[in-house]
Every structure is written in structure tokens, then in C-alpha cells.
Amino acid sequence: MSVKTKMQQTTDCGSDWWNDSNDHVELQHAFDEGAVGATSNPVITFQSVKNHPDLWMPVIDEMILKNQQASEDEILWMLIDSVGKKAAKILFPVYEETNRKKGKLSLQVNPKYYRNAEIMFEQGKYLASLAPNIAIKCPALPAGIKAMEMLTAAGITVNATVSFTVPQAVQVAEAIERGLAQAEKNNVDIKDVTPYVTIMVGRIDDHLKRVRDSKNINIDPEIINWASIATFKNAYRIFKERNYRSKLLAAAFRCDLHWKEIVGGDIIISMPYEWWNKFNASDVEVKSRINEPVDEKIISLLKENFEDFNKAYDEKGMAENEFESFGASVHTMKTFLEGYDEFVALIRSRMIISN
């Protein structure tokens, strides 16, 4: 009998895993290894397109040729539609086999809309129409939280992004509960709605390490890697206590803690292709660790040295109107917006060639 891979063992421990990309080659491999979903955003899609220029450049050129009056942004979103549909098709067998509970692809709304709930809602409805197994990603910022509540009320599965903290996770979960209640009140079918609340674990650690460097805080960076684990485990405890119908999802990996320390929970672990292959090749013992508390000495060190750890770890650490100005949010939105602009530049370069 063949030995199970680390990813297969992760599944056996009760935690689902996704491929953190919609690259069709990577996703097919992940599907074959037992992945039951995938996530994407415009920056990830940009990378997927660059990974396979022989496939996607002719598609871009044909879109430009057939849509003479379309803007760069319109062509970009036509391309995102095509890449998304191809990825959703790979996952569709899982969607059918699990009675529409798994096998979903997350597509993210335009990052430029992050302050406009109505326009995120409208784009989210459109993206959800591309395939039956689509979840819509909106930022866990004030307007995005409102948009996710509206989308949930319309019977659409959502997935929070730009989310790093317990206060954000709880506020999103509460908004989703309101949306589900509204859907039930309006007789909207929600039996296939499976909401997700992401915590971008690596990005909270990244943020605290930037704070450490800027303020010359004398603390081992390896200690900081536990900040995200403590935050995620605290959020998981709250979600279980309150029976939220959303499922927590870990993303943005930086080290093996972001996988092995949360295995065993009824969660999603969304791993970049490089990382889950690295984990499969490792000698890490796969066992349930989700309910093992982080060392109190580590938590005390983090609390003493980082105000922003307290904001992330404590449920009341931030009010909703503080989410946008939180350091990890600022840095991540900047990355998303700059990546989007690079994607537009690629489309622009093909338009110039076509003319």
C-alpha cells in the first residue's frame, strides 16, 4: 500500500486544502493530489497568464481584435473571466461529488472598488454567474464587509480577503450571518452557500517584522512567526464557540507553521503551489494541532512589543473604521493595486502591438 502524501494526511485530519492560484496546470496537479478548491485575484491571474504566454497571449490578442472599442480594463476582465472559467471547470467534479459544498474557485472583485459596496456587489453578482462553483472575494474593509453581507443575502458564496485579524474575521462572520438571515427571510436558496473568512497569516507576520525593523525592536523574527498562528487559533476558537456558518481559511504562506500548526480544524488551508509541494516533500509529522495553544510566553512577548499584535489578536482590538488604516491592510492594498496596474500595462502592450 502506498504511503499517503502530506496533503492527503492533512485531509485525513479533517482540514481541506486548496491551491492558492488559478493557474490551470498547477490547479490540475493540485486537483489530482486532493485539493478541493482554489483561490485567485487579479494579481494571481496576472501571474497565471505570464506562466503560460503561448496559451493566453493569443487569447488577449483575439479579445482586442474582436472588441475594438473596449478599454484596457474591459479586456483585462474578459481575460480574468476566461482564466476563471477554465479553473472552475477543473474543480467542477469536486463540486458535483460533494453535493455543491466544495470544489469552489474564489474570484476577487476589482481592488480599485474597495471603498464602494454597491459596485463590488454588482461585479460580484456578475462574477458569480460565470460558473456555478464560484465564490466572490471582497476585502474585509468597511465597504467590502457590507458588500459581502449583500452578496450573501442574494445567495452568493463569499470569501473575505485583505483580512489579517480577529476583529476583521468576527465582523465578516457577523455580516455573513446577517446576510444569511436576510436570505432566509426572503426565501432565497442558501443550501449551496458556503462562506469563507480568510486570515492572511503570512501578511500579519510580515507587517510585524516591518514594525520590528522600523522601530529596532529586539525580538527574534522566529517568535513573530507565531503571531499569525495565535491570531488564527483565537479566531477559530471564537468561530466554534459561536457556531458561525462561515469557515476560516488560512492563506499567504511564509513558513511551515502556517500549515502544520492549524491542521485538524474544520478549516481551509489555501497553499501556493510551491509551498504545498514543499510540504509534501518534507519530513513534518502531520497531526491535529489546531487546539494546541501557542506558548503563553510567546504571546506575552508579542503583546509587550507590538501594539498591532494586540489589535490583531484581541476581538476588540480594532473597530471596523480602523481596518483600512491597519498596516497590513495598507501594504496589501498597495500590492494589489500596483499588481493590477501591471496587469493593465500588459494589456496595453498587446493593444499597441495589435495596432
Side-chain angles (χ1 to χ4, degrees), residues 7 37 47 58 66 153 208 221 233 235 241 258 269 293 297 317 332 345:
M7 294 301 98
Q47 186 60 52
K66 290 184 175 179
L208 295 182
K233 288 188 176 189
E241 286 177 356
H258 295 148
I269 308 176
K297 292 180 181 178
T332 301

Side-chain angles (χ1 to χ4, degrees), residues 18-305:
W18 289 9
N19 190 67
D20 198 7
S21 167
N22 58 358
D23 180 299
H24 66 282
V25 174
E26 293 180 1
L27 183 53
Q28 185 62 61
H29 184 196
F31 171 83
D32 294 340
E33 290 285 331
V36 294
T39 189
S40 68
N41 57 42
V43 177
I44 288 174
T45 301
F46 180 37
Q47 186 60 52
S48 300
V49 169
K50 290 193 296 181
N51 287 347
H52 306 286
D54 292 345
L55 171 63
W56 293 116
M57 294 306 158
V59 172
I60 295 172
D61 294 341
E62 185 177 3
M63 288 174 174
I64 292 169
L65 183 63
K66 290 184 175 179
N67 299 275
Q68 292 290 325
Q69 296 184 353
S71 68
E72 299 160 345
D73 290 86
E74 288 169 332
I75 297 295
L76 184 152
W77 284 96
M78 291 178 195
L79 182 61
I80 286 176
D81 291 357
S82 293
V83 178
K85 286 178 181 177
K86 190 174 185 70
K89 187 175 181 180
I90 293 171
L91 291 168
F92 192 73
V94 177
Y95 181 71
E96 289 190 307
E97 290 165 10
T98 60
N99 196 28
R100 302 178 295 280
K101 298 302 181 187
K102 301 179 183 182
K104 293 179 180 176
L105 170 73
S106 291
L107 290 179
Q108 186 168 324
V109 297
N110 192 329
K112 292 184 177 183
Y113 298 159
Y114 75 99
R115 289 186 170 181
N116 190 319
E118 290 291 341
I119 198 167
M120 284 190 278
F121 173 62
E122 292 300 329
Q123 188 185 29
K125 286 194 297 181
Y126 167 72
L127 291 172
S129 74
L130 296 176
N133 56 326
I134 297 290
I136 303 303
K137 290 173 73 175
C138 296
L141 306 175
I145 294 172
K146 181 178 179 182
M148 285 187 278
E149 181 176 341
M150 295 164 66
L151 286 163
T152 303
I156 294 170
T157 293
V158 298
N159 180 3
T161 185
V162 194
S163 176
F164 324 92
T165 69
V166 173
Q168 287 177 287
V170 169
Q171 288 303 311
V172 172
E174 291 287 348
I176 288 170
E177 290 298 322
R178 292 193 298 270
L180 290 169
Q182 187 64 42
E184 290 167 339
K185 181 179 177 180
N186 295 336
N187 294 317
V188 173
D189 185 2
I190 58 170
K191 68 178 183 298
D192 301 333
V193 175
T194 56
Y196 311 105
V197 179
T198 292
I199 293 181
M200 304 177 86
V201 286
R203 287 184 177 269
I204 184 61
D205 294 347
D206 290 347
H207 170 60
L208 295 182
K209 288 173 184 178
R210 288 191 294 269
V211 172
R212 170 189 179 270
D213 292 344
S214 67
K215 295 186 176 181
N216 295 314
I217 297 172
N218 185 23
I219 187 170
D220 186 345
E222 294 299 315
I223 295 291
I224 298 175
N225 289 335
W226 287 94
S228 56
I229 303 305
T231 298
F232 192 92
K233 288 188 176 189
N234 195 30
Y236 184 73
R237 176 188 61 79
I238 292 170
F239 272 49
K240 287 297 158 187
E241 286 177 356
R242 298 180 188 173
N243 293 313
Y244 288 140
R245 286 175 279 184
S246 305
K247 186 170 289 194
L248 278 172
L249 183 153
F253 279 41
R254 302 292 186 268
C255 62
D256 64 4
L257 293 181
H258 295 148
W259 158 57
K260 69 181 183 182
E261 280 297 324
I262 61 175
V263 168
D266 182 18
I267 59 170
I268 308 292
I269 308 176
S270 184
M271 293 173 274
Y273 186 75
E274 174 190 359
W275 279 100
W276 67 257
N277 278 282
K278 186 183 296 186
F279 295 152
N280 260 348
S282 75
D283 59 1
V284 172
E285 180 187 4
V286 182
K287 65 177 185 178
S288 178
R289 294 183 173 92
I290 188 65
N291 293 316
E292 293 180 5
V294 175
D295 189 329
E296 281 296 334
K297 292 180 181 178
I298 291 176
I299 293 178
S300 294
L301 270 174
L302 292 167
K303 286 184 173 182
E304 290 167 9
N305 284 280

